[in-house]
Amino acid sequence: MTPHHRFAHVLSWFEANMPVAESELNFTNPFQCLVAVMLSAQCTDKRVNMVTPALFAAYPTPETLAEATSDEVFEYIKSVSYPRSKAEHLVQMAQRLVSAFHGFVPDNIDDLQTLQGVGRKTANVVCAVIWNQPTMAVDTHIFRVSERLGLTTGSKNPLQTERQLVKYIPADIIPKAHHWLLLHGRYICQARKPKCEQCGLREYCRFFSKK
C-alpha cells in the first residue's frame, strides 16, 4: 500500500467514525488555552481540568498572572506533574505576554516559542486549536499511533513524525487530524496494550498486520 493510499484510507475512516474531534482540555479563550496546554505536558487532561477552574478564577488575564509569584501559582497547580517548574514558567510566560505582546497570545509558532515553557509541541497545539492553522503537534500518542499505522516510517523524534504527517495530510484537516490520532492513541491504540479488537483501522494497520 502506498503512503497516499494508506493516508486516504485512514483519514476517511476517521472522518466517518470520529466526525467531531477536539481538545479535551477546558478553556474559554486563547490565554486559558495556552495555560492549559502548558500544564498538560506529561500530565493528563483530566488532572489539568481539575486545577484550572480555580487557577483561571484567580488569574483570569495575563496581567493578573504576571503579577503573581510562582509560589502562589504553585498552590493552585501542585497536583499536576512538575508543578514547581510549571508555576515558574506560567508566571514568566505571562510577564512576556504582557511586555512583548500587549497581553495577546501570538498566532504563530515562532513568537509562541519565545514564551518561557512553550516548546514546538505546545506552540503547534495552540496554533491548531485556537487559530485553526495547519500545524501538527506530535505527542507520545501521535508518535506511537503514526508509526504503528504505517503513516510514518523510521521516525526518530517528533519533528520527523510531524514532517511526514503534514506531507500527506491535507492542510485544511491537519488540526482535526491531530485530535484524531491523539484520541485514538489515548483510548484505543494504547502503549502497553493496544485494543486491536476494538479498532476499525486494523486492515490498514502495519502493526496489526505483523501480529
Side-chain angles (χ1 to χ4, degrees):
M1 185 182 299
T2 68
H4 286 287
H5 285 126
R6 190 181 298 275
F7 271 88
H9 285 305
V10 169
L11 295 175
S12 294
W13 184 90
F14 276 125
E15 187 66 70
N17 292 276
M18 199 186 298
V20 177
E22 54 193 15
S23 175
E24 294 185 315
L25 293 169
N26 296 330
F27 56 86
T28 59
N29 57 53
F31 171 64
Q32 289 186 359
C33 176
L34 176 56
V35 170
V37 175
M38 290 176 65
L39 289 174
S40 71
Q42 296 180 288
C43 187
T44 65
D45 289 0
K46 181 179 179 180
R47 171 57 57 183
V48 172
N49 289 336
M50 292 173 66
V51 306
T52 48
L55 179 68
F56 293 155
Y59 309 110
T61 65
E63 290 77 10
T64 53
L65 182 57
E67 294 176 355
T69 67
S70 60
D71 286 339
E72 290 170 337
V73 174
F74 171 82
E75 291 303 315
Y76 290 94
I77 67 169
K78 57 187 176 183
S79 66
V80 306
S81 60
Y82 307 105
R84 286 289 179 191
S85 61
K86 287 180 179 179
E88 293 177 359
H89 286 155
L90 285 174
V91 172
Q92 293 168 353
M93 174 275 292
Q95 290 171 344
R96 179 160 174 76
L97 272 186
V98 173
S99 65
F101 301 104
H102 307 290
F104 293 98
V105 176
D107 62 356
N108 65 86
I109 292 173
D110 291 339
D111 284 344
L112 282 166
Q113 288 186 97
T114 69
L115 302 172
Q116 287 80 356
V118 177
R120 185 175 182 86
K121 183 184 76 172
T122 296
N124 278 340
V125 171
V126 172
C127 283
V129 172
I130 296 299
W131 311 118
N132 198 37
Q133 295 177 6
T135 55
M136 174 60 70
V138 177
D139 65 357
T140 56
H141 294 303
I142 293 175
F143 187 85
R144 178 181 67 254
V145 170
S146 299
E147 189 68 19
R148 283 181 176 173
L149 285 174
L151 300 178
T152 59
T153 301
S155 292
K156 293 181 171 57
N157 56 60
L159 183 56
Q160 290 182 359
T161 294
E162 176 188 334
R163 287 172 174 168
Q164 290 190 49
L165 292 175
V166 300
K167 179 180 179 180
Y168 291 102
I169 299 176
D172 63 320
I173 64 170
I174 285 177
K176 182 184 284 189
H178 159 76
H179 289 109
W180 282 337
L181 295 170
L182 186 155
L183 295 171
H184 193 67
R186 183 175 292 171
Y187 296 111
I188 300 297
C189 193
Q190 297 173 339
R192 294 187 179 182
K193 194 175 181 180
K195 301 176 182 178
C196 296
E197 71 283 354
Q198 299 179 27
C199 181
L201 290 167
R202 291 191 301 271
E203 64 179 295
Y204 315 121
C205 179
R206 184 171 60 198
F207 174 82
F208 185 77
S209 69
K210 295 179 179 179
K211 291 184 67 174

